[in-house]
Amino acid sequence: ETGVTQTPRHLVMGMTNKKSLKCEQHLGHNAMYWYKQSAKKPLELMFVYSLEERVENNSVPSRFSPECPNSSHLFLHLHTLQPEDSALYLCASSQELVTSGGYGETQYFGPGTRLLVL
Amino acid sequence: KNQVEQSPQSLIILEGKNCTLQCNYTVSPFSNLRWYKQDTGRGPVSLTIMTFSENTKSNGRYTATLDADTKQSSLHITASQLSDSASYICVVSAENQFYFGTGTSLTVIP
């Protein structure tokens, strides 16, 4: 295992539901990330947190709301989603934020939450 | 435009055979290149990482090469095993961003 856990692993929700995805890392890392993975598309970076502060938001719709209460936990709150939001949502962490260049940081990914919006 | 393209999109090989996956990129300025393996239902796991000055890196039966001049990388898998069945993702990082390829889906059959 990579040291990054995600719950739930599978989620089916209606468009009017509110749900939350949880990510926890046991690696002592300072940076955490949310990605969306759709079939036949590259991973899309959604949110980046460093030391519990959001540092990047890649034009993600407001129906996705992240929360980082501490450096070990990351949540993604979901509200009034659309069917096209169905995808695999991956959480990742790295020791430091990926801005250092050079040899760079390795991201450790969780197993993902498979989301289906009906 | 910074892009990472991988080929083939999918590949089926017999157990025990070798195969090579390709990654071409236009990302600039280049920082490093990673290959990830993603098993079905799992998150990606890092296999290799190479910087500009490295042109080959091995991890067991996996050997990655990098030609920074032509902006190409390959991942060679030797003596494939059934457990190698997965998606292999090429990721190129620039100064402060990662650029992901769409992956190659590899299926190893007995």
Side-chain angles (χ1 to χ4, degrees):
Chain A
E1 298 302 326
T2 62
V4 181
T5 59
Q6 290 185 242
T7 55
R9 294 293 309 276
H10 302 273
L11 178 63
V12 180
M13 60 185 290
M15 289 189 285
T16 58
N17 292 157
K18 288 183 180 181
K19 296 288 184 183
S20 295
L21 310 185
K22 178 182 177 182
C23 174
E24 183 174 0
Q25 57 99 355
H26 312 274
L27 302 168
H29 288 170
N30 292 322
M32 297 186 77
Y33 313 78
W34 278 118
Y35 285 90
K36 176 184 179 182
Q37 187 175 34
S38 303
K40 302 190 187 305
K41 289 186 177 181
L43 267 70
E44 302 171 47
L45 180 63
M46 301 176 70
F47 300 103
V48 181
Y49 277 83
S50 175
L51 296 173
E52 303 148 42
E53 290 192 14
R54 187 191 307 181
V55 297
E56 190 163 343
N57 173 0
N58 283 352
S59 302
V60 178
S62 59
R63 57 186 184 269
F64 295 93
S65 174
E67 178 189 1
C68 188
N70 56 62
S71 60
S72 299
H73 293 85
L74 186 64
F75 294 89
L76 187 62
H77 303 300
L78 315 173
H79 177 49
T80 59
L81 294 191
Q82 304 298 312
E84 59 264 29
D85 296 322
S86 299
L88 180 68
Y89 288 85
L90 290 164
C91 172
S93 72
S94 61
Q95 182 63 55
E96 301 296 338
L97 191 63
V98 185
T99 57
S100 56
Y103 203 68
E105 295 292 332
T106 294
Q107 293 181 318
Y108 294 81
F109 287 84
T113 295
R114 175 69 64 185
L115 173 66
L116 177 62
V117 181
L118 300 176
Chain B
K1 182 179 179 183
N2 290 318
Q3 283 187 314
V4 178
E5 295 184 352
Q6 292 187 243
S7 61
Q9 186 174 0
S10 61
L11 182 63
I12 300 174
I13 63 172
L14 289 174
E15 185 179 12
K17 297 296 186 182
N18 304 335
C19 67
T20 300
L21 315 180
Q22 297 290 341
C23 174
N24 297 338
Y25 62 92
T26 58
V27 176
S28 181
F30 175 85
S31 178
N32 56 65
L33 185 147
R34 293 175 171 83
W35 283 94
Y36 281 88
K37 177 187 179 188
Q38 184 175 19
D39 292 313
T40 301
R42 299 279 187 94
V45 175
S46 180
L47 291 175
T48 64
I49 176 172
M50 289 182 291
T51 60
F52 185 88
S53 60
E54 297 173 298
N55 53 23
T56 186
K57 184 71 70 77
S58 291
N59 178 359
R61 295 179 296 102
Y62 300 102
T63 299
T65 64
L66 173 65
D67 185 334
D69 292 331
T70 61
K71 296 187 177 181
Q72 295 179 326
S73 176
S74 64
L75 181 68
H76 186 74
I77 304 175
T78 304
S80 61
Q81 300 176 359
L82 298 179
S83 59
D84 293 330
S85 295
S87 180
Y88 292 83
I89 302 172
C90 175
V91 184
V92 181
S93 62
E95 292 170 320
N96 58 3
Q97 290 196 56
F98 286 122
Y99 297 89
F100 291 81
T102 54
T104 292
S105 176
L106 174 65
T107 302
V108 180
I109 58 176

